[in-house]
Amino acid sequence: MKEHHMTIGIIGSGAIGTAFARTLARAGIEAGISNSRGPDSLVDLVRELGPSITAVSREEAARADIVFVAVNWTKLPAALARLPAWNGRIVIDANNAIEAPLFKPVDLDGRASSEVVADLVPEARVVKAFNHLRAELLATDPRSDGGRRVLFYSGNDAAAKSEVAALIERLGFAGIDLGSLAVGGKLAQFPGGPLPNQNLIKVG
């Protein structure tokens, strides 16, 4: 199966990036995690996460088939600058348009935050996912209360969405496709969307 050979890179080692890495590690899926401070700053984290997660440079993470991005909104342009050409690779946008630490909403002129992110990664296929749950929930076992925790995803490229959906399933979550970035991205974005922090369990 093709999705088992997809390489995964993570840009951002904050709460959400680390929670995603922890979820991958639980499933034994290999990934490289990076941040703005360089691989040496991640030695303790990758030791804790186990052998499937390695510390890499931002450029190395960006060369993966699937690149998971979770960075403070104001730092996104710098985090995504001067990276290899995207050439149709998949970017999972797990960001929310708030200014930390005040949690002040960023004015996006009515656009979905993922549409803004897409402008920063030209030629990448952007899928919005993994942003609507708090980090501590994302990091815990998705199989709970007799079912599987729901993850929403949205995007404009059907093939990219199917790759991310396959990854969501491999991690033990139940994925629900919300449609395009303009529609689904707005439903799941924080602040403003109705779905963030909804901890839903799919039973059966």
Side-chain angles (χ1 to χ4, degrees):
M1 289 175 68
K2 183 166 169 276
E3 71 267 18
H4 285 235
H5 303 293
M6 300 287 275
T7 56
I8 299 174
I10 303 169
I11 295 177
S13 63
I16 294 293
T18 296
F20 180 66
R22 202 177 300 284
T23 301
L24 291 171
R26 185 188 303 114
I29 298 172
E30 295 183 357
I33 188 169
S34 69
N35 63 14
S36 59
R37 299 182 299 282
D40 289 347
S41 68
L42 295 166
V43 170
D44 290 341
L45 176 64
V46 296
R47 186 182 297 128
E48 179 208 334
L49 291 174
S52 65
I53 309 297
T54 54
V56 298
S57 69
R58 197 172 52 102
E59 293 76 16
E60 284 178 276
R63 287 192 190 97
D65 299 317
I66 297 177
V67 183
F68 182 96
V69 181
V71 178
N72 283 344
W73 186 261
T74 50
K75 297 177 180 174
L76 263 176
L80 295 173
R82 299 180 306 282
L83 290 174
W86 291 98
N87 296 333
R89 294 197 311 288
I90 296 170
V91 168
I92 296 177
D93 169 25
N95 305 281
N96 288 309
I98 48 174
E99 290 181 27
L102 303 174
F103 285 93
K104 179 184 166 199
V106 178
D107 184 4
L108 303 177
D109 292 324
R111 298 179 77 198
S113 61
S114 287
E115 295 178 299
V116 177
V117 171
D119 289 345
L120 299 173
V121 287
E123 295 183 40
R125 296 180 292 157
V126 175
V127 177
K128 182 76 167 183
F130 295 93
N131 70 296
H132 77 276
L133 289 178
R134 295 193 308 278
E136 61 269 23
L137 264 182
L138 184 60
T140 55
D141 192 337
R143 295 173 182 86
S144 71
D145 299 321
R148 292 180 297 151
R149 187 163 286 119
V150 168
L151 279 185
F152 301 108
Y153 62 94
S154 55
N156 299 340
D157 184 286
K161 281 202 292 188
S162 70
E163 294 284 6
V164 174
L167 176 61
I168 286 171
E169 290 287 327
R170 280 185 73 197
L171 293 174
F173 292 92
I176 295 180
D177 184 351
L178 297 179
S180 68
L181 292 180
V183 176
K186 280 190 175 176
L187 290 173
Q189 73 184 24
F190 176 82
L195 296 177
N197 287 328
Q198 297 293 327
N199 178 24
L200 305 179
I201 304 294
K202 182 178 181 181
V203 178

